[in-house]
Amino acid sequence: MLEWQANAGAGGLMVRPMNILLLQGGGALGAYQAGVFEALQRADIEPDWVVGTSVGAINGALIAGNRPQDALPKLQEFWTRIAQPSHGYGAVLEGYEAGVAKMLALTNGVPDFFSPRLPWNIPLWQNLGNDPPSFYDTSPLRRTLETLVDFDVIGTRDFHDGKRLSVGAVNVARGTLRYFDSHRDHLTADHILASGALPPAFPPVWIDGEAYWDGGVFSNTPMNYVLQDERPGSDMPINCYVVDLWSPEGPMPSTIADVMLREKDIQYASRAGENLHFLREIHQLREAIEMLGRYLPAEALSDPRIQSILALGHRAPVNIVRLLAPARENETVQKDIDFSYSTIMARWRTGYRDMSNALEICPCQRDPVSDEIGANVCSYRSMSDGRLEEA
């Protein structure tokens, strides 16, 4: 685990960094995140704080809602339970298997995840029976979460209090994004279901008298919450691992099917690039404030107003390792409902491979970032042949 040597004076005290794992939404694509977590855990990197949206919230709950030694087995159990067919047909039939899985998801739902509502209970134009406005019922996911997640072990900001968990959901009536955070909220299965309630497939989830939908409807980028609301790096070193499931870049589409796929990628792609630029600017401003403070006379330094300004220049290093998941061959707009066993396992293996490689080549994982640098970003795009390319 990366450690940072603080300027703490005597003895050069080694300060443990906060490890943050950011997981965006993406349905079946979330198996890639599970592989990333396995690679982190095998590298002895345990997240202290997991921030997720939609399937990122589900994976986050499985990670934060279990003891460290149980988190990976619970992830494996979840993704095995929802796989359909429940076993692989072999490499030759992977395409057929994926097609069957997508058809089954649309017609029969996904085991232990969601099931279709009866046609006469779907209020397409009028709602005479006060039925939930959705095509599917997520009660199976609630039961799965209550079986695999111990919500009482989810922690707060205290390192010794378990892993902190934050999940994003959008208030249907207000149109505002809210992060339910175990630092201040007692999280339950309802909060995870709300974060993954993608309309019109899934019904809204009511919390404290208000209805919530999938946070990805508003923003599929958990980094916004971490950077804007929590301001990491202001008082302690940060290691931040960002996992993006949708590609912000892609070829010009030539067919309607290509257009639908490209539109979906753009809609749900992370705005991490903009956020990382914002982070660099913040650290440059802090560095400028700190430098100016060195040239101020003692009289100015004693002014409380100047002291409050100089306090803004205090910063601890922030290391960010960002992965952009690769596109698989022959992907379609329905790639996020491909819950076939072979595709899930392939995405899992790819996530493990990519994060393992990233930890090997990212400079901030080999050399702790000094207090003079402030922020270091390693952003990689995973290629279909297994290479990592700087993004």
Side-chain angles (χ1 to χ4, degrees):
M1 181 180 296
L2 177 65
E3 291 185 328
W4 170 68
Q5 185 164 346
N7 296 323
L13 178 63
M14 297 298 290
V15 178
R16 179 192 184 288
M18 174 186 288
N19 294 317
I20 305 176
L21 180 60
L22 302 184
L23 306 173
Q24 67 173 198
L29 309 182
Y32 181 86
Q33 298 170 341
V36 167
F37 173 73
E38 180 180 8
L40 289 173
Q41 192 172 73
R42 295 195 186 282
D44 293 325
I45 299 172
E46 284 289 343
D48 301 296
W49 182 16
V50 186
V51 187
T53 301
S54 197
V55 75
I58 295 174
N59 282 332
L62 292 163
I63 293 169
N66 284 287
R67 296 177 300 172
Q69 63 269 31
D70 296 330
L72 186 58
K74 294 296 185 182
L75 275 172
Q76 292 170 332
E77 182 175 351
F78 172 77
W79 284 98
T80 300
R81 286 172 67 161
I82 67 173
Q84 62 170 352
S86 59
H87 59 279
Y89 287 170
V92 176
L93 296 176
E94 276 189 9
Y96 170 76
E97 182 186 339
V100 170
K102 288 181 280 190
M103 181 183 66
L104 288 174
L106 290 172
T107 57
N108 292 6
V110 173
D112 295 310
F113 198 154
F114 59 89
S115 57
R117 296 189 184 280
L118 295 174
W120 49 86
N121 288 337
I122 299 175
L124 291 175
W125 310 113
Q126 290 183 317
N127 196 340
L128 302 178
N130 197 28
D131 293 306
S134 68
F135 291 102
Y136 300 94
D137 174 28
T138 53
S139 297
L141 177 59
R142 178 188 300 278
R143 293 190 291 270
T144 300
L145 289 171
E146 291 175 346
T147 300
L148 300 181
V149 178
D150 183 352
F151 289 94
D152 291 331
V153 307
I154 298 176
T156 62
R157 274 196 179 99
D158 188 341
F159 278 7
H160 304 289
D161 192 33
K163 293 180 175 66
R164 177 182 176 186
L165 176 64
S166 305
V167 298
V170 64
N171 188 299
V172 178
R174 302 173 188 270
T176 55
L177 183 65
R178 175 177 177 181
Y179 276 89
F180 296 100
D181 193 323
S182 64
H183 173 64
R184 58 178 177 269
D185 305 306
H186 177 67
L187 299 187
T188 67
D190 281 341
H191 298 94
I192 312 304
L193 288 170
S195 184
L198 183 65
F202 300 152
V205 177
W206 291 81
I207 299 175
D208 297 330
E210 296 190 281
Y212 289 90
W213 273 337
D214 191 309
V217 171
F218 188 99
S219 172
N220 203 29
T221 309
M223 187 180 289
N224 289 342
Y225 177 63
V226 174
L227 294 184
Q228 296 177 12
D229 289 8
E230 294 299 318
R231 299 180 63 186
S234 60
D235 53 10
M236 72 180 305
I238 297 289
N239 289 339
C240 191
Y241 303 91
V242 184
V243 187
D244 292 350
L245 301 177
W246 303 87
S247 176
E249 300 178 1
M252 178 66 191
S254 59
T255 67
I256 294 299
D258 293 340
V259 168
M260 295 172 65
L261 173 60
R262 189 75 202 105
E263 185 271 340
K264 199 169 190 178
D265 273 337
I266 294 173
Q267 178 182 359
Y268 292 116
S270 170
R271 305 298 180 264
E274 299 172 9
N275 293 325
L276 296 179
H277 177 72
F278 174 68
L279 175 65
R280 289 189 182 101
E281 285 191 342
I282 288 178
H283 277 270
Q284 288 172 356
L285 290 172
R286 287 176 176 168
E287 186 176 4
I289 291 172
E290 186 180 41
M291 182 184 68
L292 287 173
R294 299 171 187 170
Y295 294 94
L296 292 177
E299 180 180 354
L301 291 173
S302 63
D303 187 323
R305 294 171 298 179
I306 298 296
Q307 291 177 0
S308 64
I309 293 174
L310 292 178
L312 297 175
H314 171 70
R315 72 213 184 284
V318 176
N319 299 314
I320 295 180
V321 180
R322 177 192 178 208
L323 280 179
L324 284 76
R328 286 174 54 81
E329 189 175 357
N330 299 323
E331 281 186 339
T332 71
V333 69
Q334 296 175 333
K335 62 182 178 179
D336 52 337
I337 60 170
D338 179 3
F339 289 94
S340 65
Y341 181 87
S342 293
T343 303
I344 285 175
M345 292 299 105
R347 293 193 188 281
W348 186 306
R349 289 192 299 270
T350 302
Y352 177 83
R353 178 202 68 195
D354 290 348
M355 181 52 77
S356 298
N357 292 341
L359 294 177
E360 287 290 329
I361 64 178
C362 181
C364 70
Q365 291 301 122
R366 298 194 303 268
D367 306 309
V369 178
S370 75
D371 192 42
E372 295 298 319
I373 299 176
N376 195 349
V377 177
C378 294
S379 184
Y380 301 112
R381 179 182 295 103
S382 175
M383 309 305 288
S384 58
D385 60 3
R387 293 180 299 108
L388 291 182
E389 182 181 87
E390 289 191 10

